[in-house]
Amino acid sequence: MLQMYRILNSHHAGESADQWLRDESCRRTLWLIYILDCLLTSTPGRFPALTAQDTSTASLPCSDMNFAFGNAVYTKSLMQYLNRASASPSHGSTAEVGEYGYIVIAATLWRDVVGMLTTSPLHGYDEEDCSSLIAKIEDLRASLPMQFVDKPGQIELHMTMGSGYTFAMLHCLLHCATIFVHRRRLLQDVYARDFDADAYRMGGRGHDIIDRLFSSCHATLSLLTAVESGVEKEQLPSFPIFMLFSAFTASATVAYLSLKGLTPSNAVETAAHIVRDGLRFMADGTDNWPLMASWLRHLTVMQRVLNNDAAAASGRSNSNAHSHSGVKDEVSSNADTNPEAMDYDQSNGHSHSAPRSVGEHSRDGSEPPTVTIPRRPGVTTINGHSSGVATPNNSTPPPSSAPQATMHGDAKRQSPEATNGSSHGQEVQSTSTSQDMTAPELCAAFERQLLDLDDLAAFMGGGV
Protein backbone atom coordinates (compact mmCIF):
# COMPACT_ATOMS: atom_id res chain seq x y z
CA MET A 1 0.00 0.00 0.00
CA LEU A 2 2.88 2.36 0.68
CA GLN A 3 3.87 2.19 -2.98
CA MET A 4 0.74 4.10 -3.86
CA TYR A 5 2.02 7.31 -2.30
CA ARG A 6 4.36 7.86 -5.26
CA ILE A 7 1.53 9.23 -7.42
CA LEU A 8 0.46 11.75 -4.80
CA ASN A 9 3.31 14.21 -4.97
CA SER A 10 1.54 16.38 -7.53
CA HIS A 11 -1.87 16.72 -9.09
CA HIS A 12 -2.38 15.81 -12.72
CA ALA A 13 -3.30 18.87 -14.75
CA GLY A 14 -6.51 18.44 -16.67
CA GLU A 15 -7.07 15.00 -15.28
CA SER A 16 -10.36 13.26 -15.84
CA ALA A 17 -12.90 12.59 -13.12
CA ASP A 18 -11.96 8.92 -13.20
CA GLN A 19 -8.28 9.73 -12.72
CA TRP A 20 -9.10 12.07 -9.84
CA LEU A 21 -11.22 9.38 -8.19
CA ARG A 22 -8.41 6.87 -8.47
CA ASP A 23 -5.94 9.34 -7.00
CA GLU A 24 -8.29 10.28 -4.17
CA SER A 25 -8.73 6.59 -3.33
CA CYS A 26 -4.95 6.27 -3.11
CA ARG A 27 -4.69 9.40 -1.00
CA ARG A 28 -7.27 8.02 1.43
CA THR A 29 -5.29 4.82 1.72
CA LEU A 30 -2.18 6.87 2.47
CA TRP A 31 -4.01 8.83 5.15
CA LEU A 32 -5.29 5.62 6.72
CA ILE A 33 -1.69 4.44 7.04
CA TYR A 34 -0.79 7.86 8.44
CA ILE A 35 -3.49 7.62 11.15
CA LEU A 36 -2.33 4.14 12.17
CA ASP A 37 1.23 5.50 12.18
CA CYS A 38 0.19 8.29 14.57
CA LEU A 39 -1.42 5.82 16.94
CA LEU A 40 1.30 3.19 16.93
CA THR A 41 4.64 4.99 16.55
CA SER A 42 4.41 7.86 19.01
CA THR A 43 6.48 6.24 21.75
CA PRO A 44 10.27 6.10 22.22
CA GLY A 45 11.91 3.39 20.17
CA ARG A 46 9.26 3.32 17.46
CA PHE A 47 9.91 5.33 14.37
CA PRO A 48 7.18 6.40 11.93
CA ALA A 49 6.70 4.41 8.76
CA LEU A 50 5.87 7.62 6.92
CA THR A 51 8.07 10.70 6.93
CA ALA A 52 6.82 14.27 6.77
CA GLN A 53 7.95 14.35 3.13
CA ASP A 54 5.66 11.45 2.27
CA THR A 55 2.57 13.42 3.22
CA SER A 56 3.70 17.02 2.76
CA THR A 57 2.07 17.56 -0.63
CA ALA A 58 -0.80 15.05 -0.39
CA SER A 59 -4.21 16.70 -0.22
CA LEU A 60 -6.25 16.00 2.88
CA PRO A 61 -9.34 13.85 2.22
CA CYS A 62 -12.21 15.78 0.73
CA SER A 63 -15.79 15.46 1.93
CA ASP A 64 -17.45 12.07 1.62
CA MET A 65 -20.07 13.65 -0.61
CA ASN A 66 -17.54 14.85 -3.17
CA PHE A 67 -15.72 11.53 -3.01
CA ALA A 68 -18.91 9.50 -3.46
CA PHE A 69 -19.98 11.51 -6.51
CA GLY A 70 -16.48 11.76 -7.99
CA ASN A 71 -16.38 15.58 -7.92
CA ALA A 72 -12.80 16.56 -8.78
CA VAL A 73 -12.04 19.02 -5.98
CA TYR A 74 -8.78 19.93 -4.29
CA THR A 75 -8.16 20.41 -0.59
CA LYS A 76 -5.22 21.76 1.36
CA SER A 77 -2.38 19.51 2.35
CA LEU A 78 -1.83 18.81 6.04
CA MET A 79 1.11 21.21 6.12
CA GLN A 80 -0.94 23.97 4.49
CA TYR A 81 -3.79 23.43 6.90
CA LEU A 82 -1.64 23.44 10.03
CA ASN A 83 0.31 26.47 8.81
CA ARG A 84 -2.91 28.21 7.85
CA ALA A 85 -1.69 28.74 4.28
CA SER A 86 -4.46 30.19 2.16
CA ALA A 87 -4.60 27.74 -0.74
CA SER A 88 -2.53 25.51 -2.97
CA PRO A 89 -0.77 27.90 -5.37
CA SER A 90 -1.06 25.52 -8.32
CA HIS A 91 -4.81 25.08 -8.10
CA GLY A 92 -6.24 28.31 -6.69
CA SER A 93 -9.24 27.85 -4.44
CA THR A 94 -9.64 24.65 -2.49
CA ALA A 95 -12.65 22.72 -1.27
CA GLU A 96 -13.50 22.11 2.36
CA VAL A 97 -11.70 19.33 4.18
CA GLY A 98 -13.97 16.34 4.78
CA GLU A 99 -14.79 14.44 7.96
CA TYR A 100 -12.00 11.97 7.25
CA GLY A 101 -9.60 14.88 6.84
CA TYR A 102 -10.45 16.24 10.28
CA ILE A 103 -9.66 12.83 11.78
CA VAL A 104 -6.24 13.05 10.10
CA ILE A 105 -5.67 16.46 11.69
CA ALA A 106 -6.88 15.25 15.08
CA ALA A 107 -4.57 12.23 14.88
CA THR A 108 -1.69 14.60 14.15
CA LEU A 109 -2.48 16.59 17.29
CA TRP A 110 -2.71 13.34 19.29
CA ARG A 111 0.78 12.36 18.17
CA ASP A 112 2.04 15.83 19.09
CA VAL A 113 0.57 15.40 22.57
CA VAL A 114 2.20 12.01 23.07
CA GLY A 115 5.46 13.43 21.74
CA MET A 116 5.29 16.10 24.43
CA LEU A 117 4.71 13.48 27.11
CA THR A 118 7.74 11.45 26.06
CA THR A 119 10.00 14.49 26.44
CA SER A 120 8.45 15.99 29.58
CA PRO A 121 9.98 14.56 32.76
CA LEU A 122 9.24 16.17 36.11
CA HIS A 123 12.44 18.21 36.04
CA GLY A 124 12.19 19.11 32.36
CA TYR A 125 8.54 20.13 32.22
CA ASP A 126 7.57 23.15 30.14
CA GLU A 127 4.13 24.65 30.69
CA GLU A 128 4.41 26.44 27.36
CA ASP A 129 4.43 23.10 25.53
CA CYS A 130 1.11 22.18 27.15
CA SER A 131 -0.38 25.62 26.49
CA SER A 132 0.60 25.42 22.83
CA LEU A 133 -1.01 22.01 22.41
CA ILE A 134 -4.18 23.11 24.19
CA ALA A 135 -4.40 26.09 21.86
CA LYS A 136 -4.03 23.83 18.79
CA ILE A 137 -6.75 21.46 20.02
CA GLU A 138 -9.13 24.31 20.77
CA ASP A 139 -8.33 25.94 17.45
CA LEU A 140 -9.32 22.77 15.59
CA ARG A 141 -12.54 22.52 17.61
CA ALA A 142 -13.35 26.14 16.78
CA SER A 143 -12.67 25.63 13.07
CA LEU A 144 -14.85 22.54 12.66
CA PRO A 145 -17.88 22.96 10.38
CA MET A 146 -21.18 23.18 12.20
CA GLN A 147 -22.10 19.55 11.50
CA PHE A 148 -18.92 18.31 13.21
CA VAL A 149 -19.19 20.39 16.38
CA ASP A 150 -19.68 18.30 19.52
CA LYS A 151 -22.85 19.79 20.95
CA PRO A 152 -25.91 18.22 22.64
CA GLY A 153 -27.85 15.94 20.33
CA GLN A 154 -25.27 16.03 17.55
CA ILE A 155 -24.04 12.47 17.95
CA GLU A 156 -27.60 11.14 17.85
CA LEU A 157 -28.14 12.89 14.51
CA HIS A 158 -24.94 11.41 13.15
CA MET A 159 -25.98 7.94 14.26
CA THR A 160 -29.24 8.38 12.36
CA MET A 161 -27.32 9.48 9.25
CA GLY A 162 -24.79 6.63 9.51
CA SER A 163 -21.79 8.80 10.40
CA GLY A 164 -21.87 8.26 14.17
CA TYR A 165 -18.63 6.27 14.42
CA THR A 166 -16.78 8.88 12.33
CA PHE A 167 -18.06 11.72 14.51
CA ALA A 168 -17.26 9.82 17.73
CA MET A 169 -13.75 8.89 16.55
CA LEU A 170 -12.94 12.50 15.71
CA HIS A 171 -13.97 13.77 19.12
CA CYS A 172 -12.47 10.83 21.04
CA LEU A 173 -9.12 11.84 19.54
CA LEU A 174 -9.62 15.44 20.64
CA HIS A 175 -10.97 14.60 24.10
CA CYS A 176 -8.28 11.99 24.79
CA ALA A 177 -5.57 14.45 23.74
CA THR A 178 -7.14 17.08 26.01
CA ILE A 179 -7.19 14.68 28.95
CA PHE A 180 -3.54 13.75 28.46
CA VAL A 181 -2.38 17.37 28.32
CA HIS A 182 -4.32 18.55 31.37
CA ARG A 183 -3.48 15.38 33.29
CA ARG A 184 0.20 16.14 32.69
CA ARG A 185 -0.32 19.65 34.05
CA LEU A 186 -2.08 18.17 37.07
CA LEU A 187 0.75 15.71 37.72
CA GLN A 188 3.29 18.51 37.77
CA ASP A 189 1.25 20.27 40.46
CA VAL A 190 0.63 17.07 42.46
CA TYR A 191 4.37 16.46 42.75
CA ALA A 192 4.96 19.93 44.17
CA ARG A 193 6.02 19.83 47.82
CA ASP A 194 3.27 22.12 49.03
CA PHE A 195 0.41 20.34 47.21
CA ASP A 196 -2.85 20.21 49.18
CA ALA A 197 -5.90 18.61 47.53
CA ASP A 198 -8.51 20.83 49.19
CA ALA A 199 -6.68 24.07 48.48
CA TYR A 200 -5.82 22.99 44.95
CA ARG A 201 -9.39 22.04 44.10
CA MET A 202 -10.62 25.48 45.09
CA GLY A 203 -7.76 27.42 43.54
CA GLY A 204 -8.00 29.01 40.12
CA ARG A 205 -5.53 26.76 38.29
CA GLY A 206 -6.77 23.58 39.95
CA HIS A 207 -10.39 24.49 39.30
CA ASP A 208 -9.63 25.04 35.60
CA ILE A 209 -7.67 21.79 35.12
CA ILE A 210 -10.22 19.64 36.98
CA ASP A 211 -13.09 21.28 35.12
CA ARG A 212 -11.48 20.58 31.74
CA LEU A 213 -10.66 17.01 32.71
CA PHE A 214 -14.18 16.27 33.87
CA SER A 215 -15.69 17.87 30.77
CA SER A 216 -13.64 15.76 28.36
CA CYS A 217 -14.06 12.57 30.42
CA HIS A 218 -17.83 13.05 30.61
CA ALA A 219 -18.05 13.84 26.88
CA THR A 220 -16.04 10.74 25.94
CA LEU A 221 -18.32 8.31 27.77
CA SER A 222 -21.39 10.16 26.49
CA LEU A 223 -20.19 9.67 22.90
CA LEU A 224 -19.68 5.94 23.31
CA THR A 225 -22.99 5.53 25.12
CA ALA A 226 -24.79 7.35 22.30
CA VAL A 227 -23.12 5.18 19.65
CA GLU A 228 -24.09 2.08 21.60
CA SER A 229 -27.69 3.25 21.90
CA GLY A 230 -27.90 4.21 18.24
CA VAL A 231 -26.91 0.93 16.63
CA GLU A 232 -29.53 -1.38 15.23
CA LYS A 233 -31.06 -3.70 17.80
CA GLU A 234 -29.88 -6.83 16.04
CA GLN A 235 -26.30 -5.54 15.90
CA LEU A 236 -23.62 -5.21 18.53
CA PRO A 237 -21.47 -2.07 18.59
CA SER A 238 -17.91 -2.68 17.42
CA PHE A 239 -15.76 0.14 18.72
CA PRO A 240 -12.32 0.93 17.30
CA ILE A 241 -9.61 0.26 19.86
CA PHE A 242 -8.75 3.95 20.23
CA MET A 243 -12.33 4.83 21.18
CA LEU A 244 -12.21 2.21 23.92
CA PHE A 245 -8.78 3.44 25.00
CA SER A 246 -10.36 6.87 25.31
CA ALA A 247 -13.07 5.39 27.53
CA PHE A 248 -10.42 3.75 29.72
CA THR A 249 -8.46 7.00 29.89
CA ALA A 250 -11.57 8.96 30.87
CA SER A 251 -12.77 6.46 33.49
CA ALA A 252 -9.35 5.95 35.06
CA THR A 253 -8.79 9.71 35.22
CA VAL A 254 -12.11 10.32 36.97
CA ALA A 255 -11.43 7.45 39.38
CA TYR A 256 -8.03 8.96 40.15
CA LEU A 257 -9.52 12.39 40.80
CA SER A 258 -11.99 10.83 43.24
CA LEU A 259 -9.28 8.82 45.00
CA LYS A 260 -7.15 11.94 45.22
CA GLY A 261 -9.98 13.95 46.75
CA LEU A 262 -10.23 16.30 43.76
CA THR A 263 -13.75 15.50 42.61
CA PRO A 264 -16.04 18.55 42.89
CA SER A 265 -18.81 17.98 45.40
CA ASN A 266 -21.53 18.44 42.80
CA ALA A 267 -19.90 16.02 40.34
CA VAL A 268 -19.75 12.91 42.53
CA GLU A 269 -22.76 11.27 40.88
CA THR A 270 -21.42 12.05 37.41
CA ALA A 271 -18.05 10.58 38.44
CA ALA A 272 -19.79 7.40 39.57
CA HIS A 273 -21.53 7.05 36.20
CA ILE A 274 -18.31 7.65 34.27
CA VAL A 275 -16.35 4.98 36.16
CA ARG A 276 -19.20 2.49 36.04
CA ASP A 277 -19.82 2.96 32.32
CA GLY A 278 -16.11 2.77 31.62
CA LEU A 279 -15.95 -0.59 33.38
CA ARG A 280 -18.84 -1.84 31.30
CA PHE A 281 -17.18 -0.79 28.05
CA MET A 282 -13.95 -2.47 29.16
CA ALA A 283 -15.77 -5.71 30.01
CA ASP A 284 -17.68 -5.77 26.72
CA GLY A 285 -14.66 -4.73 24.66
CA THR A 286 -12.41 -7.59 25.73
CA ASP A 287 -14.33 -9.95 23.42
CA ASN A 288 -13.07 -8.03 20.38
CA TRP A 289 -9.84 -6.66 21.85
CA PRO A 290 -8.07 -9.08 24.23
CA LEU A 291 -5.49 -6.35 24.90
CA MET A 292 -8.14 -4.58 26.97
CA ALA A 293 -8.20 -7.25 29.69
CA SER A 294 -5.39 -5.42 31.50
CA TRP A 295 -7.31 -2.13 31.32
CA LEU A 296 -10.35 -3.82 32.83
CA ARG A 297 -8.36 -5.25 35.74
CA HIS A 298 -6.65 -1.92 36.27
CA LEU A 299 -9.89 0.05 36.40
CA THR A 300 -11.59 -2.58 38.57
CA VAL A 301 -8.99 -2.17 41.31
CA MET A 302 -9.52 1.60 41.28
CA GLN A 303 -13.28 1.06 41.50
CA ARG A 304 -12.91 -1.39 44.38
CA VAL A 305 -10.77 0.98 46.44
CA LEU A 306 -13.28 3.75 45.79
CA ASN A 307 -16.05 1.49 47.04
CA ASN A 308 -14.09 0.54 50.14
CA ASP A 309 -13.41 4.17 50.95
CA ALA A 310 -17.04 5.09 50.34
CA ALA A 311 -18.20 2.31 52.64
CA ALA A 312 -15.76 3.34 55.37
CA ALA A 313 -16.71 7.01 55.06
CA SER A 314 -20.42 6.31 55.38
CA GLY A 315 -19.99 4.01 58.36
CA ARG A 316 -21.14 0.88 56.60
CA SER A 317 -19.92 -2.49 57.82
CA ASN A 318 -16.45 -3.38 56.57
CA SER A 319 -17.48 -6.95 56.02
CA ASN A 320 -20.29 -5.82 53.76
CA ALA A 321 -17.91 -3.70 51.71
CA HIS A 322 -15.23 -6.37 51.50
CA SER A 323 -17.40 -9.35 50.63
CA HIS A 324 -18.67 -7.87 47.38
CA SER A 325 -16.22 -8.74 44.59
CA GLY A 326 -18.28 -7.45 41.67
CA VAL A 327 -18.54 -3.96 40.26
CA LYS A 328 -20.91 -1.77 42.25
CA ASP A 329 -22.97 1.07 40.87
CA GLU A 330 -21.90 3.52 43.56
CA VAL A 331 -18.70 5.56 43.65
CA SER A 332 -18.01 8.34 46.07
CA SER A 333 -15.10 10.67 46.65
CA ASN A 334 -13.57 10.77 50.12
CA ALA A 335 -12.95 14.51 50.07
CA ASP A 336 -15.76 16.24 48.22
CA THR A 337 -15.97 19.54 50.05
CA ASN A 338 -15.55 21.99 47.21
CA PRO A 339 -18.17 24.74 47.60
CA GLU A 340 -17.62 25.99 44.06
CA ALA A 341 -20.21 24.89 41.56
CA MET A 342 -19.29 23.27 38.28
CA ASP A 343 -21.91 22.79 35.63
CA TYR A 344 -21.86 19.04 35.05
CA ASP A 345 -24.70 16.84 34.01
CA GLN A 346 -25.64 14.89 37.12
CA SER A 347 -27.16 11.96 35.27
CA ASN A 348 -24.76 10.62 32.68
CA GLY A 349 -26.62 8.14 30.51
CA HIS A 350 -28.90 5.27 31.44
CA SER A 351 -28.41 2.72 34.14
CA HIS A 352 -26.69 -0.43 32.96
CA SER A 353 -26.11 -3.82 34.40
CA ALA A 354 -22.77 -4.31 36.12
CA PRO A 355 -19.96 -5.85 34.07
CA ARG A 356 -18.57 -9.23 34.82
CA SER A 357 -16.82 -9.71 38.12
CA VAL A 358 -13.07 -9.59 38.02
CA GLY A 359 -11.13 -12.02 40.20
CA GLU A 360 -9.50 -10.51 43.28
CA HIS A 361 -6.59 -9.54 42.53
CA SER A 362 -3.27 -10.61 41.17
CA ARG A 363 -0.56 -8.35 39.84
CA ASP A 364 -1.52 -9.56 36.37
CA GLY A 365 -0.20 -6.94 34.05
CA SER A 366 -2.08 -3.80 34.97
CA GLU A 367 -3.23 -3.67 38.55
CA PRO A 368 -1.54 -1.13 40.79
CA PRO A 369 1.40 -2.36 42.85
CA THR A 370 1.40 -3.16 46.52
CA VAL A 371 5.17 -2.84 46.91
CA THR A 372 7.38 -0.20 45.32
CA ILE A 373 10.25 -1.72 43.35
CA PRO A 374 12.72 0.31 41.29
CA ARG A 375 11.67 0.24 37.65
CA ARG A 376 13.78 -0.93 34.79
CA PRO A 377 14.46 1.65 32.10
CA GLY A 378 12.22 1.64 29.06
CA VAL A 379 8.52 1.54 28.41
CA THR A 380 6.79 -1.73 29.17
CA THR A 381 3.12 -2.23 29.92
CA ILE A 382 0.58 -0.72 32.26
CA ASN A 383 2.37 -0.84 35.60
CA GLY A 384 5.15 -2.84 33.99
CA HIS A 385 7.89 -4.03 36.38
CA SER A 386 6.51 -3.68 39.88
CA SER A 387 5.26 -5.47 42.94
CA GLY A 388 6.75 -8.88 42.36
CA VAL A 389 5.75 -9.15 38.72
CA ALA A 390 8.81 -9.25 36.50
CA THR A 391 7.77 -7.83 33.16
CA PRO A 392 10.52 -7.77 30.54
CA ASN A 393 10.94 -4.45 28.76
CA ASN A 394 9.97 -5.92 25.41
CA SER A 395 6.91 -7.76 26.59
CA THR A 396 3.20 -7.52 26.22
CA PRO A 397 0.97 -7.78 29.32
CA PRO A 398 1.86 -10.88 31.38
CA PRO A 399 -0.03 -14.07 30.70
CA SER A 400 -3.30 -14.66 32.44
CA SER A 401 -2.19 -17.97 33.85
CA ALA A 402 -0.69 -16.18 36.86
CA PRO A 403 -2.44 -17.28 40.04
CA GLN A 404 -5.08 -14.95 41.41
CA ALA A 405 -4.48 -13.64 44.93
CA THR A 406 -7.21 -13.66 47.52
CA MET A 407 -8.55 -10.47 49.06
CA HIS A 408 -10.88 -9.95 52.01
CA GLY A 409 -11.46 -13.68 52.42
CA ASP A 410 -12.68 -14.23 48.85
CA ALA A 411 -12.09 -17.67 47.40
CA LYS A 412 -9.19 -17.97 45.01
CA ARG A 413 -10.44 -17.93 41.45
CA GLN A 414 -9.48 -17.00 37.93
CA SER A 415 -10.83 -13.83 36.34
CA PRO A 416 -12.97 -14.57 33.27
CA GLU A 417 -11.43 -11.57 31.55
CA ALA A 418 -7.89 -12.62 32.34
CA THR A 419 -7.99 -15.51 29.89
CA ASN A 420 -7.88 -12.99 27.04
CA GLY A 421 -4.92 -10.97 28.27
CA SER A 422 -1.83 -12.99 27.32
CA SER A 423 0.36 -12.61 24.26
CA HIS A 424 3.61 -14.33 25.14
CA GLY A 425 4.29 -17.27 27.40
CA GLN A 426 6.63 -15.63 29.89
CA GLU A 427 6.17 -16.76 33.48
CA VAL A 428 5.26 -14.29 36.18
CA GLN A 429 4.91 -14.42 39.91
CA SER A 430 1.98 -12.97 41.82
CA THR A 431 2.29 -11.36 45.21
CA SER A 432 -0.70 -12.14 47.42
CA THR A 433 -2.14 -9.35 49.49
CA SER A 434 -4.44 -9.52 52.44
CA GLN A 435 -6.22 -6.26 51.73
CA ASP A 436 -6.73 -3.58 49.09
CA MET A 437 -4.35 -0.69 48.76
CA THR A 438 -5.27 2.60 50.35
CA ALA A 439 -6.33 5.50 48.15
CA PRO A 440 -3.01 7.37 48.62
CA GLU A 441 -1.04 4.25 47.66
CA LEU A 442 -3.19 3.69 44.60
CA CYS A 443 -2.89 7.34 43.56
CA ALA A 444 0.90 7.20 43.88
CA ALA A 445 0.97 4.08 41.71
CA PHE A 446 -1.26 5.66 39.09
CA GLU A 447 0.83 8.85 39.02
CA ARG A 448 3.97 6.81 38.44
CA GLN A 449 2.28 4.89 35.64
CA LEU A 450 1.33 8.12 33.89
CA LEU A 451 4.83 9.53 34.16
CA ASP A 452 6.28 6.27 32.84
CA LEU A 453 3.72 6.18 29.99
CA ASP A 454 2.63 2.67 30.93
CA ASP A 455 -0.92 3.18 29.69
CA LEU A 456 0.32 4.29 26.30
CA ALA A 457 2.72 1.38 26.04
CA ALA A 458 -0.07 -1.07 26.73
CA PHE A 459 -2.32 0.63 24.17
CA MET A 460 0.39 0.31 21.55
CA GLY A 461 0.74 -3.42 22.19
CA GLY A 462 2.77 -3.62 25.37
CA GLY A 463 5.85 -1.90 24.01
CA VAL A 464 6.72 -4.70 21.57
Side-chain angles (χ1 to χ4, degrees), residues 15-349:
E15 64 185 1
S16 65
D18 287 344
Q19 180 63 46
W20 176 88
L21 196 57
R22 284 193 292 269
D23 287 354
E24 179 67 9
S25 298
C26 291
R27 280 189 288 269
R28 286 176 172 245
T29 302
L30 173 69
W31 288 122
L32 172 61
I33 298 169
Y34 175 84
I35 292 171
L36 296 174
D37 215 16
C38 287
L39 297 179
L40 295 175
T41 61
S42 46
T43 187
R46 277 186 171 171
F47 298 97
L50 293 173
T51 66
Q53 184 178 2
D54 291 330
T55 58
S56 61
T57 60
S59 297
L60 287 166
C62 66
S63 68
D64 286 355
M65 187 68 71
N66 282 324
F67 180 53
F69 284 93
N71 298 327
V73 297
Y74 300 99
T75 60
K76 293 180 181 179
S77 68
L78 179 62
M79 185 179 299
Q80 289 171 334
Y81 185 93
L82 295 177
N83 294 336
R84 287 294 182 262
S86 57
S88 174
S90 59
H91 292 283
S93 61
T94 56
E96 187 177 274
V97 174
E99 43 270 74
Y100 186 11
Y102 286 113
I103 290 179
V104 171
I105 300 167
T108 303
L109 295 180
W110 162 256
R111 180 154 67 179
D112 290 346
V113 167
V114 177
M116 178 273 295
L117 295 176
T118 61
T119 58
S120 180
L122 283 174
H123 300 293
Y125 172 79
D126 188 349
E127 180 72 16
E128 287 299 318
D129 290 342
C130 290
S131 299
S132 175
L133 289 167
I134 293 169
K136 289 180 181 179
I137 294 170
E138 294 306 319
D139 184 54
L140 177 56
R141 284 198 177 107
S143 64
L144 290 173
M146 187 65 66
Q147 66 269 28
F148 300 140
V149 175
D150 187 12
K151 58 184 180 181
Q154 196 84 325
I155 179 64
E156 286 80 6
L157 289 174
H158 277 279
M159 287 303 298
T160 302
M161 297 174 62
S163 53
Y165 281 95
T166 302
F167 182 86
M169 182 65 181
L170 167 62
H171 287 284
C172 278
L173 281 162
L174 295 178
H175 287 309
C176 202
T178 300
I179 293 170
F180 268 76
V181 175
H182 288 294
R183 203 166 60 179
R184 182 63 188 87
R185 297 175 67 209
L186 175 63
L187 282 176
Q188 197 69 26
D189 297 340
V190 165
Y191 274 85
R193 291 184 177 180
D194 58 347
F195 177 80
D196 177 79
D198 291 335
Y200 185 80
R201 188 176 65 248
M202 294 183 286
R205 175 181 168 90
H207 183 280
D208 176 67
I209 291 176
I210 295 169
D211 184 33
R212 290 171 180 260
L213 283 172
F214 259 93
S215 295
S216 285
C217 292
H218 179 269
T220 299
L221 270 298
S222 296
L223 284 170
L224 268 66
T225 301
V227 171
E228 183 182 56
S229 301
V231 297
E232 298 293 335
K233 291 183 178 180
E234 63 273 9
Q235 297 178 350
L236 292 175
S238 180
F239 293 105
I241 186 67
F242 187 86
M243 290 170 64
L244 291 169
F245 177 69
S246 299
F248 166 72
T249 297
S251 300
T253 299
V254 167
Y256 166 74
L257 292 175
S258 296
L259 289 164
K260 197 72 175 178
L262 295 174
T263 302
S265 57
N266 66 330
V268 173
E269 184 180 350
T270 299
H273 282 292
I274 291 173
V275 176
R276 184 202 64 196
D277 287 347
L279 278 165
R280 183 173 54 80
F281 282 119
M282 295 305 98
D284 294 343
T286 53
D287 292 336
N288 290 331
W289 303 103
L291 173 67
M292 291 176 51
S294 62
W295 308 350
L296 175 61
R297 292 190 297 270
H298 178 86
L299 190 57
T300 300
V301 173
M302 301 183 82
Q303 164 79 316
R304 188 162 57 235
V305 175
L306 279 170
N307 288 338
N308 292 345
D309 285 354
S314 61
R316 286 196 295 263
S317 168
N318 286 338
S319 61
N320 182 44
H322 292 169
S323 63
H324 196 318
S325 64
V327 177
K328 301 179 182 178
D329 286 341
E330 178 182 359
V331 180
S332 175
S333 171
N334 35 324
D336 297 326
T337 57
N338 182 13
E340 296 187 15
M342 292 188 183
D343 187 21
Y344 297 117
D345 181 7
Q346 294 296 317
S347 57
N348 178 22

